[in-house]
Amino acid sequence: MKLRIAIQKAGRLHEDSVRILRDCGIDLNNGANKLKTEASNFPLEVFFLRDDDIPQYVEDGVADAGIVGENIVLERQKQVHVLERLGFGRCRLSIAVSRTLNYHSLADLNGLRIATSYPVIVGKFLEKNHIRAEIHEISGSVEIAPGIGLADAIGDLVSSGSTLFMNGLQEVETILASEAVLIAAKSLSVDRDLVLKKLLFRINAVRKARNNKYILLNAPNDKLKQIIGLLPGMKSPTVLPLAEEGWSSVHSVVNEDDFWEIIENLKANGAQGILVVPIEKMIL
Ligand code: PRT
Ligand code: ZN
């Protein structure tokens, strides 16, 4: 039984969604301009859809799983499980107001008209903070609403901030930090659930590998203790003697987040010939 997964047909999430499946070792036949495609080496069928429709298809059981922005999942309020954050499609849903407005705090939003394509998320945010503002739901080009006098503020997705900047707006509140997520139907047949678990296992391995690097370096033996102290490793670093007396080769795995800091500390402690290598899969 094939697992049916829905991904975005075209747009910001399409390429990364295809890439994560490919990195899981799944061969997809070229899906350009197709409604669906099948993997040749994994029991997976891929549907290409508009991102907004994906939660509905998954709730209805037309697709078993989907890859979609968390912002869409929270806005649509469909009955689906969020299984995994995928680390791409990162953005934030924020409130922005005119740069000319002297904004101090949330209370300044009282009485404003806020244009957004996310009335549910923005509405809940206002309610939680006891703000009385009027929400105008519009479906696109939200950033121009203040400029044409349709609204005083907007609730929109932001990544680089250049759209806000070009429209004379300032970001004043962040409601949500979003990224692409893997969602699944609430109930699946036993065999489809098994395929989903296999897929999830592979996605986990790919995600971990993307967040980590393999590092090799040479260390003088009298500095080994300090250097090992800087390297966490999966269990602990591997240490091998070098042919040259008094030196060792140290191998370990380091996390992307504190990568540069670790490298600087290693150098400061006498490490030489540091090599950093990408990891393809990581299974713990
Ligand atoms: O056709 P379909 O309906 O499938 O696509 P779409 O046009 O509705 O969606 P698309 O491809 O624009 O976005 C898909 C998903 O990407 C969103 O649901 C988010 O989860 C995620 N994402 C990440 C973003 C952005 N970053 C983003 N910057 N979605 C939209 N934007 C827009 C934003 O609305 C604003 O207009 O980009 C502009 C702001 O960008 P900056 O860089 O100027 O700040
Ligand atoms: Zn859309």
Side-chain angles (χ1 to χ4, degrees):
M1 184 73 83
K2 286 185 191 298
L3 184 78
R4 301 158 303 168
I5 189 167
I7 67 172
Q8 193 187 23
K9 183 172 172 59
R12 286 184 159 85
L13 302 182
H14 172 80
E15 266 182 38
D16 285 331
S17 303
V18 170
R19 181 172 312 131
I20 202 163
L21 296 175
R22 291 223 163 103
D23 285 355
C24 286
I26 297 171
D27 277 339
L28 297 180
N29 305 319
N30 205 341
N33 295 321
K34 280 197 204 160
L35 186 64
K36 61 178 188 173
T37 188
E38 283 183 17
S40 53
N41 60 353
F42 192 80
L44 191 74
E45 200 173 355
V46 182
F47 296 162
F48 301 104
L49 299 170
R50 289 202 55 190
D51 64 346
D52 316 71
D53 299 334
I54 290 175
Q56 180 77 62
Y57 278 103
V58 173
E59 181 185 89
D60 292 346
V62 176
D64 307 307
I67 295 179
V68 65
E70 196 187 11
N71 48 299
I72 300 283
V73 179
L74 293 174
E75 182 64 27
R76 301 285 147 172
Q77 300 187 292
K78 300 297 174 198
Q79 295 297 309
V80 297
H81 285 307
V82 174
L83 299 181
E84 178 85 15
R85 303 177 78 80
L86 299 176
F88 60 85
R90 287 211 171 96
C91 57
R92 44 198 195 274
L93 178 60
S94 293
I95 303 268
V97 299
S98 164
R99 263 206 302 279
T100 57
L101 190 87
N102 202 350
Y103 186 90
H104 295 288
S105 72
L106 264 172
D108 294 344
L109 296 176
N110 272 311
L112 299 191
R113 294 163 305 161
I114 305 177
T116 185
S117 310
Y118 293 89
V120 172
I121 303 176
V122 173
K124 282 186 180 168
F125 173 79
L126 296 176
E127 198 180 305
K128 193 183 88 198
N129 290 289
H130 311 290
I131 305 292
R132 283 174 177 276
E134 205 182 300
I135 292 180
H136 280 255
E137 180 176 356
I138 53 177
S139 59
S141 304
V142 175
E143 65 279 0
I144 66 168
I148 58 172
L150 186 73
D152 311 297
I154 64 168
D156 200 11
L157 299 178
V158 183
S159 44
S160 69
S162 57
T163 301
L164 296 184
F165 181 80
M166 284 189 298
N167 286 279
L169 301 170
Q170 55 173 329
E171 190 176 355
V172 292
E173 302 289 342
T174 302
I175 303 179
L176 168 77
S178 179
E179 66 186 85
V181 292
L182 178 71
I183 59 171
K186 289 228 152 153
S187 73
L188 282 181
S189 67
V190 177
D191 25 356
R192 283 191 167 131
D193 195 48
L194 206 67
V195 181
L196 180 64
K197 289 210 169 76
K198 277 190 189 168
L199 177 66
L200 199 55
F201 177 79
R202 292 192 189 187
I203 287 178
N204 263 309
V206 170
R207 292 269 294 125
K208 285 205 190 83
R210 285 182 183 176
N211 286 334
N212 288 278
K213 298 268 183 273
Y214 193 74
I215 180 168
L216 305 95
L217 57 89
N218 295 330
N221 286 347
D222 57 345
K223 294 281 179 57
L224 257 182
K225 217 174 159 187
Q226 291 97 303
I227 287 178
I228 288 171
L230 294 167
L231 292 168
M234 288 220 264
K235 269 206 165 59
S236 76
T238 307
V239 181
L240 302 164
L242 283 191
E244 188 178 328
E245 190 81 12
W247 283 80
S248 297
S249 166
V250 181
H251 303 196
S252 188
V253 171
V254 295
N255 194 285
E256 192 94 270
D257 296 336
D258 23 59
F259 178 74
W260 287 110
E261 204 185 320
I262 292 181
I263 299 284
E264 282 156 20
N265 287 334
L266 288 170
K267 281 190 67 175
N269 279 279
Q272 293 182 6
I274 303 174
L275 292 182
V276 178
V277 191
I279 300 172
E280 192 170 311
K281 308 280 186 302
M282 204 163 142
I283 293 131
L284 297 182

